[in-house]
Amino acid sequence: MILFSAISKGSLILCEYTDTNEDFQQLISKQLKFIKNKEEKQQFQNNEYILYLLQKNQFNFICIMHQPENNSSEDQQTFAYKFLNDVSDKFQLMTQTQGIDKGQFTKVIAELMGQYNSNPESPITKLKQQQQIQENQTQQEINTKGISQDAQVHIKKDNLEYSVNTCKSLFFVINLFLAGVLVELFTKFNKYL
C-alpha cells in the first residue's frame, strides 16, 4: 500500500499527499539530500518504510511504502515504479498544459493513490484480501458459536419474563384480596367510629 507520495525539484517539495496520520515530511527531507542526479530509479530503506524515487526531467517523484514481506519485494518495487511512472506522466502532461498547480496536482496524486491502493492486481491488495478472508472465516466461526449462546440466553430470558409476569399477576391478586378485606373491615368497624 502506498502511504505517501510527493513531487520535488531538488530539495524543494512541490506537492505531497498522504491519507495516513504519519509525518513523512522529515523522512523525505533527509532523503532528498542523498539523491544522486544521474540515476533514474533509486530506493532508500528506513526502519519500517521503503522510499522509492523516480527522476525525470529534473523532478523527483517519490512514494513511501511499508517494508515488503520476504518474497514480495520485487513485486512491490515493480508496483511502486509503475505508480511513479503514472504520476510522472500525468504531472508532465499537466505542467505542459496548465503549469504547476500544487492544489490541483495534489488531487491527482490522491486519486492515483486511491486507484493503486484499491487495484485488485497489486500484490499488497492481494495480501489484504487474503487477510480479510481469514478474518471473515474467524468471524464466522465466532458468530456460529455466538448464535448457540444467544439462543440459550434468549430461552433463559423468556423464562425469566414468564416468572416476572407470574409474580406481577400474583401481587395484583393479593392486592385485590387485601383491598377487599380492608373494605370489609371498614364497613364493619365504621359503626364504632
Side-chain angles (χ1 to χ4, degrees):
M1 181 171 156
I2 301 166
L3 304 171
F4 175 86
S5 184
I7 300 171
S8 75
K9 187 167 187 173
S11 61
L12 175 66
I13 296 175
L14 301 175
C15 60
E16 61 185 303
Y17 178 77
T18 184
D19 57 356
T20 66
N21 295 331
E22 298 289 325
D23 181 21
F24 295 108
Q25 187 76 28
Q26 292 177 355
L27 175 64
I28 293 292
S29 297
K30 286 179 187 176
Q31 295 302 327
L32 285 175
K33 295 174 186 174
F34 299 109
I35 292 175
K36 300 172 187 165
N37 288 328
K38 56 186 174 183
E39 291 186 37
E40 188 178 84
K41 294 179 182 178
Q42 299 175 43
Q43 64 188 54
F44 304 94
Q45 294 181 354
N46 182 355
N47 297 332
E48 59 187 291
Y49 303 113
I50 189 162
L51 181 142
Y52 295 95
L53 175 108
L54 176 70
Q55 288 183 328
K56 280 189 177 178
N57 300 331
Q58 299 177 346
F59 290 101
N60 300 312
F61 301 92
I62 305 160
C63 73
I64 295 178
M65 301 173 80
H66 281 290
Q67 287 281 2
E69 298 294 321
N70 298 337
N71 56 357
S72 67
S73 63
E74 201 171 295
D75 291 339
Q76 181 171 316
Q77 185 176 7
T78 304
F79 179 76
Y81 287 119
K82 185 174 184 245
F83 168 74
L84 292 174
N85 272 318
D86 282 353
V87 171
S88 165
D89 292 344
K90 293 227 184 222
F91 182 75
Q92 298 295 332
L93 182 65
M94 283 185 73
T95 54
Q96 289 172 359
T97 59
Q98 301 171 3
I100 298 175
D101 181 358
K102 180 180 177 177
Q104 184 63 33
F105 205 75
T106 300
K107 290 178 186 176
V108 171
I109 291 176
E111 289 173 10
L112 281 172
M113 277 178 63
Q115 289 171 5
Y116 270 78
N117 285 340
S118 65
N119 182 356
E121 296 176 7
S122 78
I124 290 97
T125 305
K126 286 179 185 177
L127 182 63
K128 277 185 175 180
Q129 288 173 345
Q130 289 173 348
Q131 290 173 343
Q132 186 67 35
I133 289 170
Q134 289 174 346
E135 287 175 11
N136 287 344
Q137 289 172 343
T138 305
Q139 188 64 37
Q140 285 176 347
E141 290 173 4
I142 291 170
N143 287 344
T144 304
K145 292 176 185 175
I147 289 171
S148 63
Q149 290 174 350
D150 285 345
Q152 291 173 353
V153 167
H154 196 306
I155 291 169
K156 288 179 183 178
K157 190 176 180 182
D158 285 345
N159 290 340
L160 183 65
E161 285 178 8
Y162 178 74
S163 311
V164 169
N165 288 333
T166 304
C167 290
K168 285 180 181 177
S169 298
L170 283 173
F171 285 130
F172 180 75
V173 169
I174 292 170
N175 281 336
L176 280 176
F177 175 75
L178 290 175
V181 169
L182 285 173
V183 167
E184 284 288 320
L185 285 173
F186 281 128
T187 54
K188 286 184 181 179
F189 291 108
N190 195 17
K191 312 180 214 182
Y192 302 112
L193 294 174

